[in-house]
Amino acid sequence: MGRKVILATCSLNQWALDFDGNLERILRSIEKAKSVGAKYRLGPELEICGYGCADHFYESDTLLHCFQVLRKLLESPVTQDIICDVGMPIMHHNVRYNCRVMFLNRKILLIRPKMLLANYGNNREFRWFSPWNKLRHVEEYFLPRMIQDVTGEDTVPFGDCVLSTKDTCIGSEICAELWNSRSPHVDMGLDGVEIFTNSSASYHELRKADHRVNLVKSATTKSGGIYMFANQKGCDGDRLYYDGCAMVAINGDIVAQGTQFSLDEVEVVTASLDLEDVRSYRGEHCHPHVEYEHKPCHRVKVDFSLSDCNGVYLPTHQPIEWQFHTPEEEISLGPACWLWDYLRRSGQAGFLLPLSGGVDSSSTACIVYSMCVLVCQAVRDGNSQVLEDVQRVVSDVSYTPVDPRELCGRVFTTCYMASENSSEGTRNRARDLAAQVGSSHMSLNIDIAVKAMLGIFSMVTGKWPQFSANGGSTRENLALQNVQARIRMILAYLFAQLNQWALGKPGGLLVLGSANVDESLTGYFTKYDCSSADINPIGGISKTDLKSFLQYCAEQFQLTALKSIMAAPPTAELEPLADGQVSQTDEVWSSHMKRHLFAYKTGISSGLKHHIHSYEDLLTLAQGIVWCKCRLSCNCLNLLF
C-alpha cells in the first residue's frame, strides 16, 4: 500500500525587521498549505526577521522580537495539525546561530542550527553567526519563559538532528549547505532520511537558476529521496533581489516548480508524493550499509504522520521539465521586480533617470518599463496588494493601472541633459525612446551651470581651461569633461527632489543609475556621474548582455526606438563636436590605449619606460585618448601594470 504525502514549500517576500508583516505572510503561507492538505510546511531562511538585517542581528531586540513572533505562531489556530518549519536567529550559550525551528500543535520539536555558512559573493554570514560544527551532536536548549508558557516545555533538542515521524524521516539543510561539497543530505540519505528540506535566501544572478536546479536534482539522483527547496523573494532591504524558484524533487526529477520572478508576496508550491517511490528507488540503486560507514543521525521522534489512510488513491505529481528564462528575460524581469519592491517600500513617488540616448541609460529605462508591464499584469490578475501599493505611490486611491505606458507617465521621469557638445542624434534618440515607454520627459541645457563652475575657478586662479581641440592640455581637457558629467548628477538629484513639488504633487523621485559592470571592472566611468544614484538596476550586468537585452525589448515591447540606439556608436559627448558631428567615442581607447599600455609594460628594454613617470605622461603618450574618465583619482592603470 502506498504512503502518499502532501508537502508544501514557500517563497515569501519578507522585509528585514518587519516582524508584523513577516508574521502575516508566514501565517498566510501556512493557511494555503493546509488548504490543499499539506502536513509539512517549509519556509525561507530567517523568514521571521528577514535575511537582510545586517548588523541588527547583533541587537538583542532582534532576537527578542523573533521569539515574540514565534509565540504568536505557536498560539495561532492556523498552525495546528501541520508541522511548521520556520527560520530565525537564536542565541545558544551566548553564540548566535542561523536556525530552523520545527513545531507542531504548540510544541517545539527541535531547533536545527546552520552548520555551513555562506561567506562568498554577497554573503557575509560569518560576520553575524557561527556555524554549528558539532557533527551528530545534540544539546538541550532552554526556551525563553514566553515560549515555555505556551509549549509547557523547558528544553528542546538543539543541534544536528532529524525529525522522525510515524511514517518517514525528515532532515534539514539551510541554503549554502546544498552548495557545499560536503552537503549534509549525503550522510542523512545514507542513514535513511527520506525527505530533505532546504530553506534559502538565494539571491538572483544571471544564469544561476540552472545551477540551483541541477543541485536539487542531483541531491536525490544518487541516493533517492524527496527534496524541498524554499527561498526568499523580493528585495528585503539590501542591494540584492531574491528570486524565489521554490521547488520539489523526487529521485532526481523536478515535480513542482514555483515562479522565479513574481510580484506576489506569498507563493506556496505543493506536491503529492509517494514515499514508496523513494524506498523502491533506494532498494534498486543504493546499499548504504554495505558500501559505507557513517555515524547515525540523532532522531527526534514525533507522534504524527504525514500520510493517512485517505491518501491511498491520491494522485502523485509527475516529473516536469524546468522552464528556464533566457538571460534577456532575466534582465527584464529580475531588476524590474527589485525596482518595484524598492519603490513601494521607499515611500517615494517614482523614478528619475538621466536619459542620454545610449545603450546603458536606455537599458535602465526599459527595465522601468518592464516593471510597469509587470505591475499592470499583476493588477489584471487580481493582486490587491500591488493595486494598493500603486495607488499609494501615485497618491490616487481611485487609480487602476491598465496601460504600462500610462503608468510610466505617472511614476517615471526621464531627462536629457544637453551641453554644447551634445549632438542632435542622441537628443532625438532619447526623446523617441521616452515617447515609446511613456515617461514624463524633459530636455534641458547644462551650459549655464558649467560656465558658472568654470567662472568660480577662473575668479580664484585667473585661468580659464580649454579643450584639447582648442589648444588646451590633457589636464584641462579631462577637467572640462568631468565637470559636465558631475553637474548632470547634481541636477538629477535637484530635479528628483523638487520636480514633484514644481508639479504640485507629493513625494520625491529616486535617481536611477546607468553604469554597467564592465565599466566598474575596467574603471571606465566618471566618479559622481551615472555611477552615482539611489539605485542602479544594471550595476551587475555586462555591456554584452545589455545589448542582447535591448534587442529583446525591441521585439518583446515593440520599442522600435531601440534599434537606432543600438546602431549608434557609444559616446560620452563631453568633448567639442567636429563640424556638428561626434568626435569622441567610448571605444577609441580600446585599440589605441591598449597599444600604448603594451608599450609601457614592454618599454624597459627599449628605454621608453624611463620617459613615463606618471599617469599624465601616459595620457600624453596616448595623445589624449581616453582610458578612464575618473582620471587622476583612479588606480586602474596601476592594476594593469
Side-chain angles (χ1 to χ4, degrees):
M1 185 175 74
R3 296 279 187 177
K4 309 289 181 62
V5 296
I6 300 178
L7 306 171
T9 183
C10 310
S11 291
L12 303 183
N13 193 327
Q14 302 295 75
W15 298 20
L17 301 177
D18 179 21
F19 294 98
D20 291 337
N22 292 347
L23 169 63
E24 186 272 331
R25 286 181 283 273
I26 292 171
L27 287 173
R28 225 191 317 161
S29 69
I30 297 172
E31 195 168 24
K32 285 187 175 184
K34 288 180 67 177
S35 68
V36 295
K39 293 297 183 67
Y40 189 97
R41 175 266 181 200
L42 174 72
E45 186 175 12
L46 295 171
E47 60 187 306
I48 287 181
C49 58
Y51 186 80
C53 294
D55 283 358
H56 290 289
F57 284 122
Y58 290 136
E59 299 169 4
S60 297
D61 272 1
T62 302
L63 305 178
L64 170 64
H65 296 324
C66 284
F67 273 113
Q68 290 172 336
V69 171
L70 179 60
R71 174 177 176 137
K72 292 177 180 178
L73 288 170
L74 289 164
E75 293 175 330
S76 173
V78 174
T79 63
Q80 303 306 298
D81 299 320
I82 183 172
I83 296 178
C84 298
D85 187 338
V86 299
M88 60 182 282
I90 291 178
M91 182 177 284
H92 177 56
H93 294 170
N94 293 325
V95 179
R96 289 178 181 84
Y97 295 100
N98 177 348
C99 296
R100 303 303 301 173
V101 179
M102 299 183 198
F103 61 90
L104 169 68
N105 295 337
R106 300 169 68 97
K107 299 287 185 182
I108 294 178
L109 306 175
L110 62 87
I111 300 175
R112 200 282 205 177
K114 192 171 185 177
M115 297 190 290
L116 301 168
L117 301 184
N119 212 51
Y120 48 82
N122 289 299
N123 296 304
R124 295 291 181 271
E125 290 183 5
F126 274 105
R127 179 175 176 88
W128 307 296
F129 303 111
S130 295
W132 181 261
N133 51 21
K134 302 175 183 178
L135 189 67
R136 300 291 183 265
H137 180 73
V138 178
E139 298 177 356
E140 286 188 321
Y141 176 76
F142 283 84
L143 294 169
R145 291 189 184 92
M146 72 173 81
I147 304 299
Q148 291 181 19
D149 293 343
V150 176
T151 66
E153 304 165 301
D154 294 328
T155 64
V156 294
F158 185 103
D160 181 15
C161 50
V162 299
L163 192 65
S164 182
T165 66
K166 287 182 175 182
D167 51 359
T168 189
C169 191
I170 306 166
S172 290
E173 287 188 329
I174 305 176
C175 199
E177 293 175 353
L178 170 63
W179 302 72
N180 195 275
S181 57
R182 299 188 63 182
S183 297
H185 70 256
V186 176
D187 286 332
M188 287 191 293
L190 294 175
D191 196 44
V193 174
E194 296 177 328
I195 300 174
F196 310 108
T197 67
N198 187 297
S199 54
S200 284
S202 180
Y203 55 83
H204 173 243
E205 287 180 346
L206 283 180
R207 305 171 178 89
K208 181 180 179 180
D210 179 71
H211 191 25
R212 187 189 291 152
V213 171
N214 286 337
L215 284 172
V216 170
K217 292 170 66 174
S218 66
T220 57
T221 298
K222 291 176 290 187
S223 59
I226 297 170
Y227 204 101
M228 303 168 60
F229 180 85
N231 196 20
Q232 165 89 345
K233 69 189 307 187
C235 165
D236 76 342
D238 204 348
R239 299 169 298 128
L240 308 177
Y241 174 74
Y242 303 93
D243 58 341
C245 282
M247 68 186 91
V248 181
I250 181 170
N251 299 337
D253 292 319
I254 302 294
V255 294
Q257 172 186 352
T259 58
Q260 186 175 11
F261 305 109
S262 169
L263 300 186
D264 293 332
E265 291 195 322
V266 177
E267 181 183 22
V268 178
V269 176
T270 60
S272 172
L273 300 168
D274 194 337
L275 295 175
E276 292 299 327
D277 289 340
V278 175
R279 294 159 191 172
S280 177
Y281 185 93
R282 287 182 172 177
E284 181 180 356
H285 295 84
C286 312
H287 304 282
H289 293 288
V290 176
E291 301 175 7
Y292 304 96
E293 292 183 4
H294 59 273
K295 188 176 180 180
C297 303
H298 179 90
R299 280 170 160 76
V300 176
K301 297 180 181 179
V302 55
D303 186 18
F304 187 74
S305 294
L306 300 187
S307 61
D308 57 46
C309 58
N310 296 325
V312 175
Y313 301 106
L314 191 69
T316 57
H317 278 62
Q318 299 303 306
I320 61 173
E321 191 69 29
W322 189 278
Q323 300 300 310
F324 291 101
H325 290 286
T326 65
E328 294 77 20
E329 289 173 335
E330 289 191 62
I331 297 173
S332 174
L333 298 172
C337 291
W338 178 64
L339 281 181
W340 175 245
D341 255 5
Y342 212 106
L343 175 60
R344 69 193 184 104
R345 298 181 190 192
S346 68
Q348 299 301 299
F351 300 111
L352 182 138
L353 172 68
L355 185 60
S356 68
V359 167
D360 293 332
S361 61
S362 298
S363 297
T364 300
C366 289
I367 290 172
V368 177
Y369 180 75
S370 178
M371 180 200 79
C372 292
V373 171
L374 288 174
V375 168
C376 291
Q377 184 61 51
V379 172
R380 283 195 294 271
D381 293 341
N383 191 319
S384 59
Q385 182 63 59
V386 171
L387 178 59
E388 179 184 328
D389 290 332
V390 172
Q391 292 172 344
R392 188 180 68 253
V393 168
V394 302
S395 300
D396 184 353
V397 294
S398 64
Y399 175 65
T400 300
V402 176
D403 178 36
R405 287 174 175 79
E406 190 272 337
L407 177 59
C408 252
R410 289 176 176 253
V411 301
F412 189 32
T413 299
T414 52
C415 182
Y416 180 80
M417 302 184 188
S419 74
E420 60 185 10
N421 303 318
S422 300
S423 66
E424 281 301 311
T426 54
R427 182 194 301 271
N428 293 338
R429 288 192 287 272
R431 181 199 61 209
D432 293 345
L433 179 60
Q436 290 188 5
V437 300
S439 66
S440 176
H441 187 65
M442 65 182 80
S443 182
L444 57 90
N445 194 291
I446 66 171
D447 287 336
I448 296 175
V450 172
K451 290 176 181 177
M453 293 288 288
L454 295 177
I456 295 173
F457 176 81
S458 181
M459 287 178 60
V460 175
T461 65
K463 294 180 181 258
W464 192 280
Q466 298 293 329
F467 284 104
S468 295
N470 300 325
S473 66
T474 300
R475 281 188 291 178
E476 295 172 72
N477 197 63
L478 300 179
L480 288 173
Q481 292 182 63
N482 280 336
V483 71
Q484 296 173 72
R486 289 163 180 164
I487 282 175
R488 286 183 171 124
M489 183 270 290
I490 294 171
L491 287 172
Y493 275 100
L494 177 65
F495 276 86
Q497 289 179 308
L498 294 180
N499 191 61
Q500 295 293 100
W501 166 78
L503 296 173
K505 299 179 180 180
L509 304 176
L510 294 167
V511 178
L512 297 181
S514 56
N516 63 63
V517 71
D518 292 346
E519 294 171 339
S520 298
L521 292 175
T522 62
Y524 189 70
F525 65 94
T526 305
K527 290 174 65 177
Y528 316 121
D529 176 30
C530 61
S531 59
S532 300
D534 293 315
I535 44 180
N536 183 6
I538 65 170
I541 306 173
S542 73
K543 192 88 163 187
T544 302
D545 282 329
L546 288 175
K547 290 179 179 178
S548 299
F549 166 64
L550 289 186
Q551 181 66 43
Y552 165 83
C553 290
E555 299 170 0
Q556 180 71 16
F557 301 135
Q558 299 300 306
L559 301 176
T560 56
L562 294 174
K563 295 181 180 179
S564 61
I565 291 171
M566 289 184 287
T571 173
E573 291 193 331
L574 297 172
E575 293 185 358
L577 302 174
D579 298 325
Q581 301 299 315
V582 174
S583 61
Q584 175 192 21
T585 57
D586 294 349
E587 267 102 8
V588 169
W589 67 269
S590 181
S591 57
H592 295 275
M593 181 56 81
K594 284 182 179 179
R595 185 165 64 249
H596 291 294
L597 284 173
F598 178 77
Y600 178 90
K601 289 184 283 185
T602 59
I604 297 176
S605 59
S606 66
L608 176 62
K609 191 169 184 178
H610 296 296
H611 300 286
I612 303 176
H613 304 289
S614 68
Y615 180 87
E616 187 176 356
D617 289 339
L618 180 62
L619 288 176
T620 302
L621 174 66
Q623 299 176 342
I625 295 169
V626 177
W627 161 257
C628 175
K629 288 190 286 183
C630 56
R631 308 306 194 264
L632 299 175
S633 59
C634 179
N635 66 347
C636 301
L637 297 175
N638 293 330
L639 295 175
L640 289 170
F641 292 156

